[in-house]
């Protein structure tokens, strides 16, 4: 079948003649995380409760425009986010590396990542042994750490944390879609072929109705 693609003007939503896809952008004063290459904007911190609030408001706005029309196949939320780029660890895991630089008192993502790593390693010495780092305490870790050298154990943890970040993002939006637009597909965030990683694809596939690519 064919349809109006993304970015169709909402004035077409009421035609009742062609299938179409709606879209929305989540904007607001929620906290963000830099991937190191924020080609459109820094990523939202999905662990910030303010992001959940704004995601719900965004979907409510789309729902008001769509009016539960059966001609609306699904909804794209956001577009070509700066998730990361393949080629080297610093770019593939840039979102997590960027979050780990932040203070856990100011970054919900950093706070969540710290809790996961504490649960895995217990003592900071165990993390240092695996990562081949010399971080003196969890308090220092929480205040912000700069990673420059990467080994297999560190990259494995960065991969896990990147999946966690993405899974939370898609889950927050999916919850809003299920609440406000249960009759329409959640089409994901339109990955750009040059701006996605295996962790992002896996997280999206576990949550959204359709993994979408631009």
């Amino acid at each position: 079948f064919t349809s109006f693609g993304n970015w169709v003007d909402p004035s077409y939503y009421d035609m009742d003649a062609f299938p179409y896809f709606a879209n929305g952008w989540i904007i607001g004063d929620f906290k963000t995380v830099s991937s190191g290459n924020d080609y459109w904007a820094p990523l939202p911190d999905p662990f910030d409760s303010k992001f959940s609030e704004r995601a719900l408001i965004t979907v409510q706005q789309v729902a008001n425009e769509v009016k539960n029309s059966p001609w609306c196949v699904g909804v794209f939320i956001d577009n070509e986010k700066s998730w990361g780029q393949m080629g080297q660890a610093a770019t593939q895991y840039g979102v997590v590396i960027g979050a780990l630089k932040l203070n856990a008192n100011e970054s919900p993502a950093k706070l969540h990542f710290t809790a996961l790593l504490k649960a895995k390693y217990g003592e900071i010495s165990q993390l240092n042994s695996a990562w081949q780092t010399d971080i003196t305490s969890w308090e220092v870790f929480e205040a912000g750490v700069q990673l420059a050298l990467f080994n297999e154990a560190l990259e494995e943890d960065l991969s896990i944390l990147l999946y966690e970040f993405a899974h939370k993002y898609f889950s927050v939006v999916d919850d809003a879609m299920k609440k406000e637009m249960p009759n329409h597909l959640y089409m994901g965030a339109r990955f750009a072929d040059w701006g996605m990683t295996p962790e992002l694809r896996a997280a999206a596939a576990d949550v959204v109705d359709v993994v979408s690519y631009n």
Side-chain angles (χ1 to χ4, degrees):
F1 66 92
T2 189
S3 72
F4 286 125
N6 196 33
W7 316 125
V8 63
D9 192 280
S11 64
Y12 288 96
Y13 290 2
D14 299 325
M15 287 182 63
D16 292 342
F18 296 98
Y20 68 88
F21 293 86
N23 65 78
W25 293 92
I26 304 173
I27 59 174
D29 59 349
F30 42 79
K31 294 182 181 298
T32 60
V33 179
S34 173
S35 68
N37 183 19
D38 306 320
Y39 34 84
W40 303 129
L43 285 162
D45 185 333
F47 297 98
D48 183 358
S49 61
K50 179 82 63 180
F51 176 72
S52 298
E53 296 173 11
R54 297 302 307 176
L56 185 61
I57 289 170
T58 298
V59 176
Q60 287 171 340
Q61 175 62 35
V62 177
N64 290 337
E65 296 171 348
V66 169
K67 306 182 188 71
N68 204 34
S69 169
W71 292 96
C72 179
V73 183
V75 184
F76 297 102
I77 301 292
D78 290 336
N79 182 67
E80 292 186 353
K81 307 296 284 183
S82 52
W83 301 117
Q85 294 175 291
M86 300 299 292
Q88 54 185 323
T91 57
Q92 180 174 349
Y93 307 118
V95 179
V96 177
I97 295 168
L100 293 179
K101 293 178 184 177
L102 304 175
N103 191 306
N105 292 326
E106 301 170 357
S107 168
K110 173 60 177 296
L111 185 64
H112 182 75
F113 291 166
T114 302
L116 291 177
L117 292 170
K118 280 184 175 180
K120 177 175 182 177
Y121 289 107
E123 300 295 328
I124 193 68
S125 59
Q126 295 300 311
L127 180 139
N128 283 324
S129 178
W131 287 15
Q132 296 179 2
T133 50
D134 56 358
I135 304 165
T136 55
S137 67
W138 282 117
E139 288 74 23
V140 170
F141 184 91
E142 290 170 359
V145 291
Q146 186 93 25
L147 300 176
L149 301 176
F150 305 93
N151 63 19
E152 185 175 343
L154 173 52
E155 289 190 31
E156 181 179 317
D157 285 337
L158 294 177
S159 178
I160 291 169
L161 297 178
L162 181 56
Y163 174 89
E164 282 276 324
F165 185 95
H167 192 275
K168 181 65 174 180
Y169 166 86
F170 289 114
S171 295
V172 167
V173 182
D174 188 53
D175 287 345
M177 284 292 299
K178 282 184 167 60
K179 181 176 181 180
E180 300 295 331
M181 301 187 72
N183 297 323
H184 304 277
L185 298 174
Y186 172 28
M187 302 294 296
R190 300 177 87 247
F191 290 131
D193 60 357
W194 39 261
M196 60 183 176
T197 74
E199 295 83 4
L200 268 298
R201 293 195 297 273
D206 285 344
V207 177
V208 307
D209 294 311
V210 179
V211 179
S212 58
Y213 300 85
N214 184 10

